[in-house]
Amino acid sequence: MPTKRRDKPGSEERCEKCFVTTRKFMRNPLLSRYQMIVDVHFGSGNATVSQEDLAKIIGKMYRVKDVYTIFFFGFRVKFGGGRSTGMCLIYDDLTSAIKYEPGYRLHRNTVVDRRKLSCRKQRRELKNRSKKYKNSKKPPPGPTRSFNILRR
């Protein structure tokens, strides 16, 4: 479980590419995660920082053992460049991340592999067939959540 540094109200970390600051850090025990807003200052002439590098920096800041439990979304570059802001979620373990994160974010974070699914038309037909069983006692046909877990 990550622990917040207590030396300053918002944690800060410097690297050769950027300067990372977190704010509005809070614990969400119902979803078993920590959530915060991340500000990345990367200079006006430099490129934005990749999410893999950002996950390593945040993992070092909050002493996270597994970087695959860190999820980023909603990053926007400020007008004029040099700074971007987004959300960061740090889950306690990978099973709770798989339970609560949407499938597209799990795929983006390479936790699951969605390429082994059937084609889109088959998935839509399965969804429409399962609608017939909405109020019946029989279970709907097919899998409930369809993807392969890559990380454990």
Side-chain angles (χ1 to χ4, degrees):
M1 283 186 233
T3 56
K4 187 175 180 192
R5 290 187 179 169
R6 298 290 178 192
D7 51 358
K8 291 188 180 180
S11 292
E12 302 171 348
E13 187 72 32
R14 288 189 184 272
C15 70
E16 64 272 357
K17 295 180 187 176
C18 62
F19 176 68
V20 179
T21 310
T22 61
R23 56 190 166 93
K24 295 187 179 179
F25 181 89
M26 67 176 285
R27 169 88 176 123
N28 191 340
L30 294 174
L31 299 176
S32 65
R33 72 183 183 196
Y34 294 86
Q35 51 198 41
M36 67 199 84
I37 295 176
V38 178
D39 294 322
V40 183
H41 304 272
F42 48 85
S44 59
N46 299 334
T48 58
V49 183
S50 67
Q51 286 192 2
E52 291 84 20
D53 296 340
L54 204 54
K56 290 176 187 174
I57 293 168
I58 295 287
K60 192 171 112 181
M61 280 172 67
Y62 290 99
R63 300 176 185 96
V64 179
K65 294 175 183 165
D66 189 10
V67 294
Y68 293 106
T69 59
I70 302 174
F71 293 86
F72 299 103
F73 63 95
F75 272 83
R76 296 281 179 254
V77 178
K78 297 291 182 186
F79 181 75
R83 181 175 156 208
S84 61
T85 303
M87 284 290 297
C88 175
L89 306 174
I90 304 174
Y91 284 91
D92 293 342
D93 53 354
L94 201 56
T95 56
S96 59
I98 291 170
K99 184 177 179 183
Y100 296 118
E101 275 295 300
Y104 73 94
R105 272 196 226 144
L106 292 171
H107 176 66
R108 189 188 292 169
N109 217 25
T110 65
V111 175
V112 298
D113 186 19
R114 287 187 157 244
R115 278 180 270 145
K116 295 184 179 176
L117 293 177
S118 58
C119 66
R120 184 169 183 246
K121 186 174 182 180
Q122 287 176 343
R123 282 182 286 171
R124 284 199 326 250
E125 288 174 356
L126 180 67
K127 175 189 67 103
N128 292 332
R129 270 186 280 144
S130 65
K131 285 180 182 178
K132 296 175 187 175
Y133 295 92
K134 185 173 182 184
N135 294 324
S136 70
K137 298 203 184 325
K138 285 198 259 180
T144 55
R145 195 155 184 191
S146 54
F147 51 72
N148 299 327
I149 298 171
L150 296 176
R151 311 273 188 231
R152 277 275 172 187

